Amino acid sequence: MNKLLLPLLAAIVASATTFSAFAEEIKGDATRGATKNAMCIGCHGIVGYQASFPEIHKVPKISGQGAKYIVSALTAYKKGERKHPTMRGIADSLTEQDMADLAAYYEASGAVAGATPPGKAADGSAKAVELVAKGACVTCHGDSFSKPLDPTYPKIAGQHSDYLYVTLKAYKTEHNPQVGRGNAIMGGQVKQFSNAELKELANYIGSLPGELKTVPQHKFK
């Protein structure tokens, strides 16, 4: 074998081994996640719970959400790409393993055995249809809004409309140390809409049947 190839081959093997170990290390465990959600259930484990920052809105339903999206979201809070003081503080306290475990737990906690996934979303008003087409929403979130084309994208059908509205506005917010989301794709999309249009879009998507839910803890039932 060419001696010059030996170091390269060794590096490739070492990289593959490292990647394999890393991938194994961050595999989520739903059972472990159920023991790590104490900081989550105070908001996400109460049906209809409302947050007051940056304005009053229901906290998102996360049971049934895709695990890879949850990890992506928590990572964005930890990096400061998503600005929210409370979520940033919680994310900072989590290891990558914690995030993976919590994500696995919440993905599983909303699953219903034998349930049929939502089909293509019914059209809303003529204005809603126009806005969905303008934003090319189905390109990433799927035509049911419950089957995103990439697992790091969220399911959004049936999510609380007021939360969706606040979230969409956050992608428009710039130069605010406490509010805003740094995502180039979403930022570019939402800036073409007025806030009134974003509210109509949020109301339509929130009205759709979906797989997201709030699963209350026993202490909050």
Side-chain angles (χ1 to χ4, degrees):
M1 180 180 290
N2 189 322
K3 292 183 179 180
L4 294 176
L5 294 179
L6 290 175
L8 178 60
L9 180 59
I12 292 173
V13 172
S15 297
T17 302
T18 300
F19 177 80
S20 177
F22 178 75
E24 182 179 351
E25 177 188 355
I26 62 170
K27 183 177 180 181
D29 183 288
T31 302
R32 287 200 304 263
T35 69
K36 298 179 178 182
N37 68 348
M39 291 186 293
C40 310
I41 58 177
C43 294
H44 299 285
I46 304 175
V47 176
Y49 185 83
Q50 294 189 118
S52 58
F53 178 86
E55 59 191 75
I56 296 174
H57 66 281
K58 294 183 182 68
V59 300
K61 306 171 190 178
I62 58 175
S63 289
Q65 187 61 270
K68 288 188 177 181
Y69 167 70
I70 294 175
V71 170
S72 176
L74 288 170
T75 301
Y77 283 118
K78 190 165 190 171
K79 290 181 177 179
E81 294 168 357
R82 290 189 177 191
K83 300 173 185 177
H84 188 288
T86 301
M87 286 303 303
R88 176 70 185 272
I90 290 171
D92 275 344
S93 72
L94 301 175
T95 65
E96 290 178 337
Q97 185 65 63
D98 292 335
M99 292 182 188
D101 291 342
L102 286 167
Y105 167 73
Y106 277 106
E107 181 178 70
S109 72
V112 177
T116 302
K120 184 180 184 298
D123 291 336
S125 66
K127 183 63 174 179
V129 170
E130 175 190 337
L131 295 175
V132 168
K134 181 179 179 180
C137 306
V138 300
T139 303
C140 292
H141 299 287
D143 61 9
S144 67
F145 298 93
S146 282
K147 192 175 181 181
L149 274 67
D150 185 290
T152 62
Y153 301 156
K155 300 176 184 180
I156 54 176
Q159 184 59 271
H160 295 304
S161 296
D162 55 354
Y163 167 74
L164 290 173
Y165 177 53
V166 169
T167 297
L168 289 169
K169 288 193 296 180
Y171 286 111
K172 294 174 71 174
T173 304
E174 297 179 329
H175 312 301
N176 185 318
Q178 294 189 318
V179 180
R181 294 191 175 193
N183 180 292
I185 294 175
M186 285 300 300
Q189 291 295 84
V190 300
K191 287 173 185 174
Q192 62 184 323
F193 297 106
S194 68
N195 284 351
E197 289 174 324
L198 291 180
K199 180 172 282 190
E200 180 143 5
L201 193 56
N203 286 339
Y204 163 64
I205 294 171
S207 72
L208 298 172
E211 299 174 315
L212 303 176
K213 61 191 71 174
T214 298
V215 178
Q217 300 293 305
H218 294 297
K219 66 180 71 176
F220 298 134
K221 289 183 178 179

